[in-house]
């Protein structure tokens, strides 16, 4: 009997020991329960996930994990006048490679910051040198968060998401109010009582889509070392005719107003205001990228730009008709068929911009042949006829009746039949030729070249002040006469210019070559501004949507 009681007591004690041990183990494991917020499922395999560390003196586990950090080259922030709130010493190419490889296998269980890094890496908005890992303590993850958070810089998130194709609906980093959205996903923000500003990235489909070519071009432009693209997002541009400096677009416009008034530009009672003309003049000199905020440029886009673009198309169609009869201008290389895939690698395709900050050897378009010599003989063709290639001609053939007279009478907006990619190729061609003209002009004549070019531009567009857009129904005659109008503006300007000395010698001593350079530069500058303005007036959204005067500021935030 005594032995039975002892056996029962032993069993009860053993059970009690097991229960007590289980409770002890449960309590110990509970100290590391937070590991579920940072394991490999959450990190998507980009990092090794969380790991436990035992502390004997505290008799508990602590959990550590690797958080991803990403930033852009510091030169971009410097160009904006700010400093990034996130920095690291050693980038991790391994994490970048994993982000690209694991994007096709991502799940809804992983952290939103993992998904964002994967999308940015595939879109070329982040490169291997932009990503790193940093150890973090899971004990600092607030209880109300389901996944571990990472620190991010608000400006970095803004610029990379815009480059990926999102538009900005609100950006106020100091108050943690950031909202962006686009075809690939959206960024929203909220206030956490402990962490402060928290960002969340939501995708619209679990099926990963390949990054668009536009996003990859924008990603390249984003990394432009002088920050031309990044400043354009906030409506700041660099005017090549002045000392290189990023300035608000409105200030660049105001610089053109005295010139407009000097040449008799009418007041605001016309169809195009002085502001629209100033915008047109400013676009002849600023560095431009594919994504420029329409909220800054678009309200000032002049209506008469459509007349100039349409006149250019009519001129090309008529010259093509003359070419079929053998009476076209000599010295023009025609390309009636679309160029080959290799030939389509324009400046925009390669660099995503038309910026003169790129090395001179890179600003060379395959369409710009050696037949154009700025200081050549008198029989050089008109500059407007140099800005044509297979893409533009094919676009005109497919989307119009391919008849110059009918196109002049047509009331449609040029952007309705001229693709944006074609307009950008035209801008790149114009930039190429303008640069070659400037290289051909001696340094002491550079200022005079710019000054005279602006004077001719103002006189030419002055005649279009009260014409308006073709859709208004009163532009057909102006379209037909534009070549003669521009030629008359050149003659009128040069007749007003008496003996101008350059370097101690009159400009006429060059047998007219300098004035021909001025005429070509003015014609190319007018067409460059016209095509760019038409794109800004197009119906489709082109830019991030930041309002004029939006402050350039950043702050640290968390993403979870």
């Amino acid at each position: 009997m005594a032995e039975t009681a002892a056996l029962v007591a032993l069993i009860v004690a053993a059970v009690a020991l097991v229960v007590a041990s289980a409770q002890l183990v449960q309590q110990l494991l509970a100290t590391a329960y937070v590991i579920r917020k940072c394991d490999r499922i959450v990190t998507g395999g980009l990092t090794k996930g969380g790991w436990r560390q035992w502390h004997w003196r505290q008799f508990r586990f602590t959990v550590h994990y690797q958080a991803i950090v990403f930033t852009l080259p510091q030169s971009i922030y410097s160009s904006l006048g700010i400093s990034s709130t996130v920095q690291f010493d050693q980038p991790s190419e391994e994490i970048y490679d994993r982000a690209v490889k694991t994007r096709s296998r991502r799940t809804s269980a992983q952290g939103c910051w993992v998904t964002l890094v994967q999308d940015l890496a595939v879109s070329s908005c982040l490169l291997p040198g932009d990503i790193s890992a940093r150890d973090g303590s899971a004990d600092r993850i607030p209880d109300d968060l389901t996944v571990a958070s990472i620190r991010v810089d608000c400006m970095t998130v803004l610029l990379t998401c815009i480059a990926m194709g999102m538009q900005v609906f609100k950006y106020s980093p100091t108050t943690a109010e950031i909202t962006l959205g686009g075809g690939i996903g959206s960024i929203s923000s909220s206030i956490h009582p402990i962490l402060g500003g928290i960002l969340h990235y939501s995708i619209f489909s679990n099926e990963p889509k390949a990054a668009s070519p536009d996003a990859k071009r924008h990603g390249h432009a984003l990394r432009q070392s002088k920050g031309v693209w990044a400043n354009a997002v906030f409506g700041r541009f660099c005017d090549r005719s002045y000392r290189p400096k990023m300035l608000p677009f409105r200030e660049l416009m105001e610089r053109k107003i005295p010139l407009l008034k000097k040449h008799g530009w009418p007041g605001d009672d016309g169809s195009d205001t002085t502001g629209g003309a100033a915008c047109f003049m400013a676009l002849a000199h600023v560095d431009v990228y594919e994504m420029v905020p329409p909220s800054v440029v678009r309200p000032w886009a002049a209506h008469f730009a459509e007349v100039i673009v349409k006149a250019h198309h009519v001129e090309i169609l008529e010259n093509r008709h003359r070419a079929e009869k053998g009476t076209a201008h000599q010295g023009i290389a025609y390309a009636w068929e679309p160029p080959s895939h290799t030939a389509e690698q324009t400046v925009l395709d390669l660099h995503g911009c038309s910026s003169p900050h790129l090395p001179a050897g890179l600003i060379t378009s395959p369409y710009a042949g050696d037949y154009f010599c700025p200081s050549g003989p008198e029989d050089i063709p008109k500059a407007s006829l140099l800005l044509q290639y297979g893409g533009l001609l094919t676009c005109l053939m497919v989307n119009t009746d391919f008849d110059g007279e009918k196109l002049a009478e047509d009331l449609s907006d040029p952007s309705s039949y001229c693709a944006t990619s074609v307009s950008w190729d035209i801008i790149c061609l114009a930039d190429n030729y303008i640069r070659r003209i400037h290289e051909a002009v001696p340094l002491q004549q550079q200022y005079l070249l710019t000054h005279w070019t602006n004077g001719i531009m103002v006189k030419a567009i002055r005649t279009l002040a009260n014409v308006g857009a073709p859709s208004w129904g009163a532009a057909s005659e102006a379209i037909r006469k534009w070549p003669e109008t521009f030629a008359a503006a050149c003659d009128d300007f040069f007749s007003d210019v008496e003996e101008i000395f350059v370097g101690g010698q009159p400009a006429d001593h060059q047998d007219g070559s300098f004035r021909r350079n001025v005429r070509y530069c003015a014609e190319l500058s007018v067409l460059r501004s016209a095509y760019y303005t038409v794109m800004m007036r197009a119906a489709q959204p082109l830019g991030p949507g930041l309002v004029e005067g939006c402050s350039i500021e950043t702050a640290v935030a968390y993403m979870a």
Side-chain angles (χ1 to χ4, degrees), residues 303-308 310-311 407-414 467-476 479:
H303 299 85
F304 61 76
E306 298 178 18
V307 174
I308 299 174
K310 244 182 181 178
L407 186 59
E409 296 288 343
D410 185 56
L411 302 182
S412 62
D413 182 343
V467 174
S471 59
W472 296 6
S476 58
I479 292 174

Side-chain angles (χ1 to χ4, degrees), residues 189-482:
S189 63
S190 61
I191 302 294
H192 191 273
I194 298 176
L195 299 179
I198 287 189
L199 305 181
H200 184 77
Y201 176 57
S202 303
I203 57 175
F204 296 149
S205 173
N206 286 328
E207 294 295 330
K209 299 179 180 179
S212 65
D214 288 343
K216 292 187 176 182
R217 288 202 302 268
H218 300 160
H220 183 97
L222 163 65
R223 312 181 66 77
Q224 206 275 340
S225 60
K226 295 184 182 294
V228 176
W229 184 90
N231 278 270
V233 167
F234 289 92
R236 289 157 48 96
F237 300 86
C238 179
D239 191 336
R240 283 179 262 175
S241 61
Y242 294 87
R243 180 179 299 176
K245 183 181 179 181
M246 298 298 174
L247 296 172
F249 188 71
R250 181 181 288 271
E251 183 174 339
L252 298 178
M253 290 171 51
E254 291 174 350
R255 288 179 172 180
K256 306 297 182 182
I257 292 179
L259 180 64
L260 291 167
K261 292 182 177 179
K262 176 182 177 182
H263 290 276
W265 186 269
D268 293 349
D269 56 340
S271 60
D272 276 301
T273 64
T274 303
C279 173
F280 186 90
M281 294 294 297
L283 290 177
H285 304 292
V286 299
D287 298 339
V288 294
Y289 276 83
E290 186 170 1
M291 290 183 68
V292 173
S295 52
V296 174
V297 177
R298 190 168 185 170
W300 302 105
H303 299 85
F304 61 76
E306 298 178 18
V307 174
I308 299 174
V309 171
K310 244 182 181 178
H312 183 219
H313 295 165
V314 170
E315 191 175 8
I316 289 176
L317 294 179
E318 292 178 347
N319 197 67
R320 196 257 185 188
H321 182 67
R322 289 192 295 267
E324 294 176 344
K325 295 182 177 181
T327 59
H329 289 275
Q330 299 297 316
I332 301 178
Y334 294 102
W336 306 127
E337 300 299 327
S340 64
H341 177 72
T342 302
E344 288 180 352
Q345 296 301 307
T346 64
V347 176
L348 179 61
D349 295 321
L350 295 174
H351 309 293
C353 66
S354 62
S355 171
H357 285 303
L358 293 170
L362 297 180
I363 303 293
T364 302
S365 170
Y367 308 129
D370 295 331
Y371 54 83
F372 176 70
C373 178
S375 301
E378 292 285 354
D379 61 352
I380 295 177
K382 296 184 59 178
S384 59
L385 296 178
L386 295 173
L387 302 183
Q388 58 178 318
Y389 69 106
L392 175 58
L393 293 165
T394 301
C395 188
L396 294 176
M397 292 174 65
V398 172
N399 297 288
T400 69
D401 292 333
F402 208 65
D403 183 275
E405 186 63 27
K406 292 182 179 179
L407 186 59
E409 296 288 343
D410 185 56
L411 302 182
S412 62
D413 182 343
S415 64
S416 64
Y417 63 83
C418 185
T420 302
S421 59
V422 172
S423 297
W424 273 104
D425 284 339
I426 295 296
I427 293 174
C428 290
L429 271 173
D431 278 356
N432 188 5
Y433 286 125
I434 291 173
R435 182 161 189 158
R436 293 173 68 174
I437 291 173
H438 277 266
E439 291 174 349
V441 173
L443 183 61
Q444 65 270 22
Q445 296 179 355
Q446 293 290 332
Y447 172 78
L448 192 62
L449 174 64
T450 301
H451 180 70
W452 284 16
T453 296
N454 288 335
I456 293 176
M457 289 181 64
V458 172
K459 281 186 173 293
I461 65 176
R462 169 66 182 83
T463 61
L464 303 177
N466 298 308
V467 174
S471 59
W472 296 6
S476 58
E477 190 66 19
I479 292 174
R480 294 191 194 93
K481 292 184 176 181
W482 172 249

Side-chain angles (χ1 to χ4, degrees), residues 154 170-178 189-191 196-198 553-556:
C154 291
K170 193 162 189 179
Y171 180 69
S172 179
T174 54
T175 58
E177 295 177 285
I178 300 176
S189 63
S190 61
I191 302 294
I198 287 189
E553 57 185 4
T554 188
V556 66

Side-chain angles (χ1 to χ4, degrees), residues 82-119:
I82 60 175
S83 298
S84 174
T85 58
V86 175
Q87 299 179 3
F88 53 82
D89 297 327
Q90 188 65 35
S92 175
E93 294 188 11
E94 182 180 1
I95 293 180
Y96 175 85
D97 293 337
R98 288 177 184 172
V100 174
K101 293 178 181 178
T102 59
R103 184 175 185 268
S104 60
R105 303 191 302 269
R106 66 187 183 187
T107 65
S108 58
Q110 67 187 35
C112 69
W113 44 271
V114 177
T115 305
L116 177 62
V117 169
Q118 290 172 334
D119 287 340

Side-chain angles (χ1 to χ4, degrees), residues 99-179:
V100 174
K101 293 178 181 178
T102 59
R103 184 175 185 268
S104 60
R105 303 191 302 269
R106 66 187 183 187
T107 65
S108 58
Q110 67 187 35
C112 69
W113 44 271
V114 177
T115 305
L116 177 62
V117 169
Q118 290 172 334
D119 287 340
L120 293 177
V122 172
S123 301
S124 300
C125 298
L126 289 179
L127 295 182
D130 303 331
I131 304 176
S132 185
R134 180 177 297 165
D135 290 346
S137 174
D139 291 342
R140 297 184 178 181
I141 301 176
D143 294 336
D144 56 348
L145 294 184
T146 58
V147 297
S149 60
I150 66 169
R151 286 186 58 176
V152 295
D153 178 75
C154 291
M155 181 62 69
T156 305
V157 174
L158 176 75
L159 294 177
T160 52
C161 288
I162 288 175
M164 199 164 54
M166 294 188 190
Q167 284 195 301
V168 183
F169 301 105
K170 193 162 189 179
Y171 180 69
S172 179
T174 54
T175 58
E177 295 177 285
I178 300 176
T179 307

